[in-house]
Amino acid sequence: NAGVTQTPKFQVLKTGQSMTLQCAQDMNHEYMSWYRQDPGMGLRLIHYSVGAGITDQGEVPNGYNVSRSTTEDFPLRLLSAAPSQTSVYFCASSEWGDQPQHFGDGTRLSIL
Amino acid sequence: AQTVTQSQPEMSVQEAETVTLSCTYDTSENNYYLFWYKQPPSRQMILVIRQEAYKQQNATENRFSVNFQKAAKSFSLKISDSQLGDTAMYFCAFMKTGTASKLTFGTGTRLQVTL
């Protein structure tokens, strides 16, 4: 019973490098989201998807791209990493709108 | 836009005692959900309790209960018989209905349960 799986759990990048954070869920959930967690700021929504082929921006989308080619996967791409993107990233999913979200275990990303 | 405010950055409670965490929110919406999530040192985000705004009855889950005051836009979490395993960050979150499960979080309250 995997739920929401995020890989990797930790990553260190240099400024300017690109990277994809992976998120997969095995619950056949339509809704998936990416959040970032910074000290003293709670979690903030980056991008979300309401189904395969449909994505939209959240509160803090700049510097990040997403795509949703399958129901199961929702990768988050950093095209040119910046130190301001140092954070803990959470992926979440829910069966349909208005349902509580299931969260992955997070990815701690450090950008030097 | 909605905002969620948690005014207590840190709290401490002795084991077996009761503690209440505060949360207020600002919205012009009438239909929404409110949540409390727990984040232990393991970093997992664990749903503690959920409240539908249209329900007047306060939600309860075992030792966890809420005091939902819709007019005052207040949503506090009460933890009874506190246990060492309750030590964690607690986040209050708001979700407008029909918005693809998008959550707006507060900044969190760090709860320490002591012997």
Side-chain angles (χ1 to χ4, degrees), chain A residues 31 35 37 94 98 101 105-106, chain B residues 39 43 50 98 100-101 103:
Chain A
Y31 291 79
Y35 294 84
Q37 182 179 19
S94 62
D98 299 350
Q101 297 208 17
D105 291 341
Chain B
Q39 187 179 44
R43 201 170 71 194
R50 170 190 180 187
S101 298
L103 291 165

Side-chain angles (χ1 to χ4, degrees), chain B residues 37-53:
Chain B
Y37 278 90
K38 170 185 177 182
Q39 187 179 44
S42 65
R43 201 170 71 194
Q44 291 177 294
M45 291 291 289
I46 302 166
L47 177 66
V48 175
I49 201 163
R50 170 190 180 187
Q51 175 78 45
E52 293 89 341

Side-chain angles (χ1 to χ4, degrees), chain A residues 9-10 31 35 37 40 42-43 45 48 50 88 90 94 96-101 103 105-108, chain B residues 33 35 37 39 42-45 47 50 91 95-108:
Chain A
K9 295 192 183 306
F10 303 94
Y31 291 79
Y35 294 84
Q37 182 179 19
L43 281 76
L45 182 65
Y48 66 99
V50 299
V88 178
F90 286 95
S94 62
W96 47 278
D98 299 350
Q99 290 296 299
Q101 297 208 17
F103 283 83
D105 291 341
T107 295
R108 181 175 294 278
Chain B
Y33 298 86
F35 304 88
Y37 278 90
Q39 187 179 44
S42 65
R43 201 170 71 194
Q44 291 177 294
M45 291 291 289
L47 177 66
R50 170 190 180 187
F91 292 96
M95 182 173 74
K96 175 185 169 184
T97 58
T99 57
S101 298
K102 293 188 291 182
L103 291 165
T104 299
F105 284 87
T107 53

